[in-house]
Amino acid sequence: MLTMVTEGWDDYGLIDSGHGRKLERYGKRRFIRPEPQAMWAPALDNWDADGEFLPGADEDGGGRWEINGRLPENGWPLHWRDVTFQASCTPFRHLGFFPDMSPVWDWMRGQIAPEQEVMNLFGYTGVGSLALAGAGAKVTHVDASKKSVEAGKRNAVLSGMEDKPIRWMIDDAAKFTAREGRRGRRYDGIILDPPKYGRGPNGEIWRLEEGLPGLLQDCRALLDENSKFLFLTVYAIRMSALSIGELMRQMMQDLGGTVECGELAVREESRGLLLPTAIFARWSK
């Protein structure tokens, strides 16, 4: 079992956590968000923030932002390595990207060589795709949300990567992956970050527990003995890292290589403790 830890950087940090909440910095701004994993007491007595997300009664979502003062209407730019992207307070309680993916982006950049082809499934606003493109990869970015894909294209412009070889695909990730297999396509690496529940552009229903084994099998069909990695993250569901690790191990056993699993976590700046955020399984060769 591994732990991949996000350390704070200039434009992001976990300042403090506790009592079911976390205080984070996004550039010069601070926000409070719910965090069920933070069962301990916070280190600081007072949290001064620009806004707080107040969750609704429904544990599967809902809620609203309570903002103190004014924020830029179209968000504000943040930086990670050579990637620039827009942060904003979304209705889904996050700010347009997932900072705990930082060590994953670094790990993938270390696996891939220039000109190799990578697919980013459920790619959201494209920060991961741009991290790979910045390392020289050819990227296929897939997301069912037109709004998210458009945000990814804007982030590419902000990063000066609008001319990088990125295919921006508005499509159901599972159906697109299956079609790529029928076309005989192959990839050097695949990253997928499937939601617990989702809808495709034509109303397709996605449920993680039902769809994940088939999706991983379709991803396996796009990899061969020369491929470099497959990385899976799972959020917001009662599932074990050992479970998804064994699922991936069975899928990938004929290709050799190494399968590892564990947790993603963010290091709190106040005390250095680790706040767990997600589980993952990865194959590499």
Side-chain angles (χ1 to χ4, degrees):
M1 293 283 286
L2 303 177
T3 305
M4 299 183 72
V5 179
T6 292
E7 308 286 354
W9 69 89
D10 287 350
D11 275 356
Y12 173 78
L14 173 63
I15 300 170
D16 195 12
S17 63
H19 292 164
R21 302 189 303 163
K22 57 186 174 184
L23 174 65
E24 302 164 293
R25 55 179 179 82
Y26 291 82
K28 296 179 180 178
R29 297 174 173 85
R30 296 181 171 197
F31 297 92
I32 299 168
R33 297 193 290 153
E35 182 46 75
Q37 299 279 14
M39 295 181 284
W40 45 78
L44 307 175
D45 293 330
N46 297 305
W47 286 4
D48 182 25
D50 296 276
E52 178 174 2
F53 189 89
L54 304 176
D58 183 357
E59 67 174 12
D60 287 330
R64 62 182 176 83
W65 284 97
E66 189 174 85
I67 303 298
N68 303 321
R70 294 179 61 85
L71 293 175
E73 183 176 344
N74 296 318
W76 60 98
L78 297 179
H79 307 276
W80 180 87
R81 304 284 190 262
D82 51 349
V83 179
T84 301
F85 53 95
Q86 208 79 347
S88 62
C89 296
T90 75
F92 311 105
R93 79 178 57 193
H94 53 75
L95 283 92
F97 78 111
F98 299 101
D100 57 337
M101 291 294 289
S102 172
V104 180
W105 301 330
D106 275 330
W107 182 84
M108 291 190 302
R109 283 163 71 120
Q111 302 297 313
I112 210 74
E115 300 299 313
Q116 291 187 324
E117 295 195 47
V118 179
M119 181 163 64
N120 186 3
L121 294 172
F122 310 96
Y124 195 41
T125 58
V127 181
S129 295
L130 295 171
L132 287 160
K138 298 178 180 179
V139 182
T140 297
H141 174 104
V142 186
D143 199 284
S145 166
K146 181 179 180 180
K147 184 176 181 180
S148 294
V149 172
E150 291 302 318
K153 292 179 180 179
R154 290 193 297 271
N155 287 334
V157 173
L158 286 174
S159 301
M161 297 187 191
E162 62 268 35
D163 295 328
K164 294 286 187 180
I166 303 176
R167 286 199 300 163
W168 299 99
M169 308 299 297
I170 302 170
D171 208 334
D172 177 82
K175 288 188 174 182
F176 179 84
T177 304
R179 288 199 305 273
E180 288 288 85
R182 292 193 293 271
R183 295 174 184 132
R185 287 292 304 272
R186 69 164 296 278
Y187 288 88
D188 295 290
I190 299 174
I191 176 174
L192 60 159
D193 181 23
K196 177 180 178 180
Y197 175 86
R199 289 183 178 272
N202 298 313
E204 301 92 340
I205 301 295
W206 163 266
R207 292 183 177 87
L208 183 63
E209 300 96 325
E210 300 170 5
L212 183 57
L215 177 59
L216 274 182
Q217 189 65 60
D218 287 339
C219 287
R220 162 64 188 87
L222 301 178
L223 302 170
D224 61 22
E225 65 277 3
N226 295 314
S227 299
K228 301 299 182 182
F229 73 85
L230 173 63
F231 201 107
L232 165 69
T233 56
V234 173
Y235 289 82
I237 191 168
R238 294 180 180 90
M239 189 179 287
S240 166
L242 294 174
S243 296
I244 63 173
E246 183 57 35
L247 175 63
M248 184 172 290
R249 189 170 291 109
Q250 291 186 14
M251 296 285 185
M252 308 302 295
Q253 60 185 345
D254 63 315
L255 287 185
T258 302
V259 173
E260 300 164 299
C261 63
E263 296 194 10
L264 301 183
V266 181
R267 191 181 305 280
E268 184 194 273
E269 294 177 338
S270 296
R271 293 165 288 192
L273 61 77
L274 296 182
L275 177 66
T277 59
I279 58 174
F280 74 88
R282 70 188 190 191
W283 169 80
S284 59
K285 192 172 183 181

